[in-house]
Amino acid sequence: MQINKIKTTFQNNSPFIVYYLYLFITFADKMETKILVTGASGFIGSFIVEEALRRGMQVWAGVRKSSSRAFLSDERIHFLELDFSSEERLAEQLRGHEFHYVVHAAGVTKCLHRADFFRVNTEGTRHLVDALLELHIPLRRFVFISSLSVFGPIREEQPYEEITAGDQPQPNTAYGQSKLMAEQYLESVSQRLPFVILRPTGVYGPRERDYFLMAKSIKGHTDFAVGFRPQDITFVYVSDVVAAVFLAFDHGKAGGKYFLSDGEVYRSSSFSNYIREELGHPWWIRLTAPIWVLRIVTFCGEYIGRLTGSVSALNNDKYHILRQRNWRCNIAPARQELGFTPQVTLREGVHLTINWYKENNWL
């Protein structure tokens, strides 16, 4: 909108008229803001869609044909079926659209085959970026949801120190490696694409299914931990991740990379203890297994998964994730540059999450 021209026209009118004109222009400008959220049917993506609608944006939800739309029922949502396996197909699907912001939240966290991580997380990101560049869509920001897992087991000597953006990534999972390669591709086109990378630690909240398995296990009277060496764990509630996405639109510097956590560090038992409290302190058996036992269990889980064609939560990637001892990360750049201020503590977040699981008959 030609805001300056309108202001000039009304500069000699009363401040009262100018004030209300400004409010109208601000609201209209928001309504014109267009955002595409990929992975919109997923855990984080569905919450990003809801927040964008709350802010009055025009929202396009990027989904697969087979994606559930259980959390995308708002009639204001525009749907785009996207095929990340082909740059040409993506360009065809995106042609004729213009977006101010793209949030790329699509991806996989567990797969039957190692190659699938790279096909979806790495190649899918490259195809999307290339399609956007080919179509010359003038984006203000492209926000990529990456992960702290791109760094792997570094700074593992006690006492553990925070992982920083200046550290050398050493991912030891296929998931972390695939995300890192996607980040590297974004860096290769940094002169043509104003991207921001967010690297959240363990994200939890309503609708999340992996941590839900822990709650389900505790309700069934069993808690399971791995390794006897101290483990420092970090978490971030889903609404804080969503807040960081929208802060990145206006405050994230092009090419910036930001860790996200709630700013605290926990022991491996903290999450389990809070879940047990919210479930009314059921009796339980807390098992702590040596690392070598986890290696056997995850190897078998991976093998059985491939035989049955069903992705197991206990796979090779899970072995490396549970084995890692240091999940501390430095969120100071996110605080200083984005204005990121985590709002939800782990205790509060677990309370909200377990209540949602109960209300929606998950537990």
Side-chain angles (χ1 to χ4, degrees):
M1 297 185 67
Q2 299 180 3
I3 296 176
N4 291 333
K5 183 177 180 181
I6 295 174
K7 284 182 177 179
T8 300
T9 303
F10 286 87
Q11 65 182 352
N12 294 322
N13 286 287
S14 70
F16 182 81
I17 294 175
V18 172
Y19 172 72
Y20 279 99
L21 178 64
Y22 170 77
L23 292 180
F24 171 77
I25 291 171
T26 301
F27 178 76
D29 192 48
K30 276 189 175 181
M31 290 300 292
E32 289 184 350
T33 302
K34 299 178 181 179
I35 179 174
L36 168 64
V37 181
T38 71
S41 63
F43 167 46
I44 298 175
S46 61
F47 281 104
I48 296 171
V49 167
E50 288 181 1
E51 179 62 17
L53 290 171
R54 192 187 70 79
R55 291 172 179 248
M57 295 180 173
Q58 294 186 35
V59 181
W60 273 259
V63 296
R64 293 171 299 169
K65 188 174 184 178
S66 60
S67 296
S68 168
R69 302 187 184 186
F71 303 121
L72 300 172
S73 58
D74 195 298
E75 61 183 11
R76 293 171 293 173
I77 299 173
H78 306 277
F79 289 95
L80 267 178
E81 290 184 7
L82 300 177
D83 180 2
F84 292 99
S85 67
S86 166
E87 176 192 337
E88 293 74 18
R89 180 68 177 141
L90 272 175
E92 179 183 325
Q93 292 165 331
L94 292 171
R95 196 176 308 279
H97 292 281
E98 287 191 3
F99 305 106
H100 299 97
Y101 303 104
V102 170
V103 182
H104 187 36
V108 290
T109 57
K110 49 184 178 287
C111 296
L112 273 178
H113 303 287
R114 175 183 171 84
D116 291 337
F117 285 104
F118 299 93
R119 177 178 57 80
V120 177
N121 294 342
T122 306
E123 293 303 304
T125 301
R126 183 174 67 82
H127 292 156
L128 175 61
V129 168
D130 287 350
L132 292 169
L133 293 175
E134 177 189 331
L135 296 172
H136 302 289
I137 297 177
L139 295 178
R140 296 175 186 170
R141 282 291 181 272
F142 178 98
V143 177
F144 177 56
I145 307 297
S146 186
S147 170
L148 176 58
S149 291
V150 302
F151 279 84
I154 64 174
R155 298 185 181 271
E156 293 270 278
E157 298 297 322
Q158 297 184 59
Y160 306 131
E161 297 179 355
E162 290 182 337
I163 299 169
T164 71
D167 287 322
Q168 182 65 37
Q170 301 175 30
N172 59 350
T173 63
Y175 171 71
Q177 291 164 6
S178 66
K179 284 288 191 178
L180 178 61
M181 290 176 67
E183 287 190 12
Q184 291 169 340
Y185 186 72
L186 287 173
E187 291 171 356
S188 74
V189 296
S190 60
Q191 298 302 312
R192 296 189 290 158
L193 186 75
F195 69 84
V196 172
I197 294 172
L198 300 180
R199 294 164 167 166
T201 183
V203 186
Y204 70 102
R207 308 174 190 169
E208 200 281 330
R209 294 186 178 275
D210 287 343
Y211 288 119
F212 163 69
L213 295 177
M214 183 185 296
K216 189 176 179 180
S217 177
I218 292 171
K219 185 179 180 180
H221 311 294
T222 304
D223 183 38
F224 183 76
V226 177
F228 298 101
R229 192 157 61 95
Q231 184 180 43
D232 284 358
I233 302 181
T234 50
F235 297 92
V236 61
Y237 190 67
V238 63
S239 64
D240 283 330
V241 175
V242 173
V245 168
F246 288 86
L247 287 169
F249 291 165
D250 296 324
H251 305 293
K253 65 180 182 181
K257 306 177 185 70
Y258 304 96
F259 295 116
L260 302 177
S261 79
D262 68 6
E264 302 295 333
V265 178
Y266 304 92
R267 289 301 182 190
S268 56
S269 59
S270 301
F271 199 73
S272 299
N273 290 337
Y274 291 152
I275 290 174
R276 184 172 181 243
E277 287 180 18
E278 293 299 325
L279 292 175
H281 295 276
W283 66 267
W284 65 353
I285 298 174
R286 174 171 270 170
L287 302 173
T288 302
I291 291 293
W292 64 265
V293 172
L294 175 67
R295 175 71 281 187
I296 294 173
V297 170
T298 54
F299 177 83
C300 293
E302 180 99 3
Y303 182 73
I304 292 170
R306 291 182 181 180
L307 285 179
T308 61
S310 176
V311 179
S312 171
L314 293 172
N315 51 44
N316 287 331
D317 262 20
K318 180 63 73 173
Y319 165 73
H320 292 294
I321 290 170
L322 292 176
R323 183 183 182 184
Q324 186 169 326
R325 301 288 94 182
N326 180 28
W327 291 94
R328 291 172 173 261
C329 57
N330 182 4
I331 67 169
R335 291 184 185 274
Q336 296 162 4
E337 296 178 17
L338 301 184
F340 174 66
T341 305
Q343 299 296 311
V344 183
T345 65
L346 184 61
R347 182 183 291 274
E348 294 167 339
V350 170
H351 172 74
L352 294 169
T353 302
I354 298 300
N355 276 355
W356 187 91
Y357 289 153
K358 291 177 180 178
E359 291 169 359
N360 288 270
N361 300 314
W362 286 32
L363 285 175

